[in-house]
Structures are given as structure tokens and as C-alpha cells.
Amino acid sequence: MMAPAQEDQQPHASDGGSPSDQESTASSYLPIGRVVAVRGLCGEMRVDLFDPAGTQFLQADELFIGEGRLCLKVRQARLFKGQGLLQVEGVDDRNAAEFWRGAAVYVSADHVAPLNEGEYYYHQVIGLLVVTEEGEALGRITDVLPTGANDVYVVQGPDGAEILLPAIKEVILKIDLDMGAMSVRLLDGLRD
């Protein structure tokens, strides 16, 4: 769920968190995954989780689904083979669950613990413009890959080329959410 990265310090992982105070309003939601399939006949949905540990997914009593962020009470949430399995009230059969395929799944920002300073949610860094310390625009972050040791930011360049940037202090120099940019230092071999 989070894209761990420090401003001027080494990025590090964390299990949970909440957005900044300005984002923590009753109407704020944090995306935690996307419904990708239906499992079985009883309305269970398979959810691709942004946080492989599924921390917020497993702890939620209610989740918000789709563009309208419909609030659904959780009957059961569990992890299975790297994905979340979700059963909610009102979705009792395969057809009802199929309706939600492709829908984003959110948790209320009011129900998550605060982030440590310099830590970010994945949705906050996806879309940032990545610029080298010399001022060269490399492209925008399109995905965050959790690897265990550190996250890896996928940067899509204007020419379609992809650059994989490890979220380590030697590479990630600064993240400025207000400016929508990330400053980086390219180490040897990162562009190859």
C-alpha cells in the first residue's frame, strides 16, 4: 500500500499508515487494490492488493468499492496465493460479484495509522514526474514493485522506454508531492 521513500533519507518499508492531515478527511479514501476475478459461486471476489501483506485489507470492517465508493460491510477478508479474497454483505452469488470485476477497492483514510515522516502510499508516487539531479526528465512513475528488500519504481519514458529505479537513498534524492516530482540520481547500469 505504501511506497516507502524518504525525503533526503533512505527509503524504508512500513506496514500501514495514513495520508497527511490535509488528506485525512471523512471523504478521503486510500486505494488498496482492485477486484480482478470472482472465486466460487457464493460471491467471493479476488482482489489484487497494492500491499502484499494486505494489512489494511485484513483489518477493515468495511470497504469502499468502485468509482462511487459504495460502502460494503466485510463478511470475510483473507489472503490466498498472494491475493486477497473478499466476501461482503449484499454480494451473495457469482453474478453479483462479477459486477465488481475491475473495480477499485478503498479503505477510509480515517481508519489507518499515521505514516512515518518521508513515507508515501503507492498512489501518491504513481504519476510523479521523475527528474535526474541534472534536470533531465526521465518520465512518470507508472507502477511500484514491492521486492522485499526495497520497492522498485517503474518509470515510463516519453519514448516508451522503461527504467526501473530502486527505492534506495543512493537513487531517490527527494520526493515533492506538491510539485508532483521525484528527484533521482542514476547509478551506473540503471538506464541499460
Side-chain angles (χ1 to χ4, degrees), residues 10-49:
Q10 179 172 348
H12 63 281
S14 177
D15 289 332
S18 86
S20 67
D21 291 340
Q22 72 184 36
E23 294 175 20
S24 289
T25 66
S27 62
S28 293
Y29 303 93
L30 298 174
I32 61 169
R34 181 167 302 281
V35 177
V36 293
V38 174
R39 184 171 187 266
L41 301 174
C42 297
E44 190 170 46
M45 297 175 275
R46 241 180 347 129
V47 179
D48 239 354
L49 298 172

Side-chain angles (χ1 to χ4, degrees), residues 22-145:
Q22 72 184 36
E23 294 175 20
S24 289
T25 66
S27 62
S28 293
Y29 303 93
L30 298 174
I32 61 169
R34 181 167 302 281
V35 177
V36 293
V38 174
R39 184 171 187 266
L41 301 174
C42 297
E44 190 170 46
M45 297 175 275
R46 241 180 347 129
V47 179
D48 239 354
L49 298 172
F50 301 145
D51 170 16
T55 307
Q56 304 303 330
F57 175 77
L58 294 172
Q59 294 174 354
D61 294 328
E62 60 187 20
L63 292 171
F64 302 85
I65 300 180
E67 286 183 31
R69 292 179 180 68
L70 178 66
C71 179
L72 296 173
K73 192 151 190 76
V74 175
R75 284 187 185 159
Q76 182 180 28
R78 60 195 173 103
L79 298 180
F80 181 72
K81 294 187 178 182
Q83 290 187 317
L85 295 179
L86 176 64
Q87 287 186 300
V88 294
E89 288 185 7
V91 178
D92 300 319
D93 61 38
R94 187 173 184 84
N95 290 336
E98 188 66 43
F99 175 81
W100 294 109
R101 183 190 297 257
V105 179
Y106 303 86
V107 66
S108 172
D110 295 335
H111 294 105
V112 293
L115 286 174
N116 292 321
E117 185 176 333
E119 291 183 334
Y120 303 94
Y121 288 101
Y122 288 169
H123 76 276
Q124 290 178 298
V125 295
I126 291 175
L128 291 180
L129 177 64
V130 179
V131 180
T132 66
E133 59 189 330
E134 293 83 21
E136 177 189 357
L138 299 176
R140 296 202 176 268
I141 298 175
T142 59
D143 201 1
V144 180
L145 308 173

